[in-house]
Amino acid sequence: MRRLLAILLPGLLLLTACGGGEPAAPEPTSQSAGETAKLDSLKLTDKGDKKAPGVEFTKPLEVKDPTVKVVTEGDGDRVKANQVADISIVAFNGKDGSTLEDTFAKDPEKLELNDELKTGSAVIYNAFVGAKVGSQLALAVPGQAAEGAPAQPTQLLVIKILAAKDAPKVLDKPEGDAVTPPAGLPTVKENDKGVPEISVKGVAAPKSLISQDLIKGKGQAVKASDTLTVNYVGVALASGKVFDSSFASGKKASFPLTGVIKGWTQGLTGKTVGSRVLLVIPKDLAYGDQGQGDAKGDLVFVVDILGVK
């Protein structure tokens, strides 16, 4: 999910902070939570998947606890744990009914029903797991008071589940066909622990970005707007010194390609899941001469693309 709920509605942070108590075991059907009687006046008029439903409710709507329930049940399959749900959202000010946001005309948001959500926001997790595709859920979020200011009104979200599918598989290591790179590039060898080691001896400074497959994966192509799960190691071209490595931490890294240096965004867009990619990045597409710590000047990375979403 692109964090729309948390970005749009600061009150939802209450859900992720306290999670509505200990996560309950997933049930075959959606679980309601909170002051659900206060949602009894809510009436929805469905207008399809690309237009927000008509919404009527008694105002003002005010809840003290995060509150969620299925208002209208769909006729699709039940959403399962570890799936990704496509959802559209329309949000209202609970005091006066004014519309705060409407995503129905846009591409659906992605809600990952994983262990992270289950632990951080059991209220949301247990409402979606077991709900049927096509269902419309209501979520009322208590208003929170900023320091020295009165509490904001309760916010009401109406959320439609458009689809649900299994989460994309994340690989443990690159999978695909080995590629022989041209001469003159940094060389890469795996050590006895399977970690790539980069040698930059005799390598000239790049005149432009170099993005070379070492293993050509057979998965889906990466888009510039995607979030990747990767393993990587980076060295400074001038010194050959490692300045960063996910292999050292033993944990894969995940981040949006829109939030990294330009050399990564440009060099990984169009590559495929399962690939191991050698990036030789000029300083103007990295951190420049000043750099960040030891990541100064031209940089070299080996990136294993293990998953995309």
Side-chain angles (χ1 to χ4, degrees), residues 26 49 53 55 69 71 81 109 130 160-161 188 190 199 204 216 219 238 248 262 277 284:
D49 290 346
V55 179
K69 77 170 188 177
V71 180
E109 297 287 330
K160 187 171 186 178
I161 304 174
V188 180
E190 287 190 357
S199 172
K216 176 65 175 177
K262 292 180 180 179
V277 182
D284 61 322

Side-chain angles (χ1 to χ4, degrees), residues 156-232:
L156 173 66
L157 287 77
V158 175
I159 306 166
K160 187 171 186 178
I161 304 174
L162 304 175
K165 57 185 178 181
D166 293 339
K169 179 183 177 183
V170 175
L171 304 175
D172 290 324
K173 60 183 180 180
E175 297 179 359
D177 298 324
V179 178
T180 301
L185 297 182
T187 57
V188 180
K189 294 182 179 180
E190 287 190 357
N191 64 20
D192 57 3
K193 296 181 180 179
V195 176
E197 295 181 338
I198 303 170
S199 172
V200 297
K201 184 178 180 180
V203 176
K207 296 180 180 179
S208 60
L209 174 67
I210 297 170
S211 178
Q212 171 65 47
D213 286 324
L214 301 178
I215 297 174
K216 176 65 175 177
K218 299 180 180 180
Q220 70 184 85
V222 172
K223 301 188 296 293
S225 57
D226 284 339
T227 293
L228 302 187
T229 298
V230 302
N231 268 325
Y232 68 92

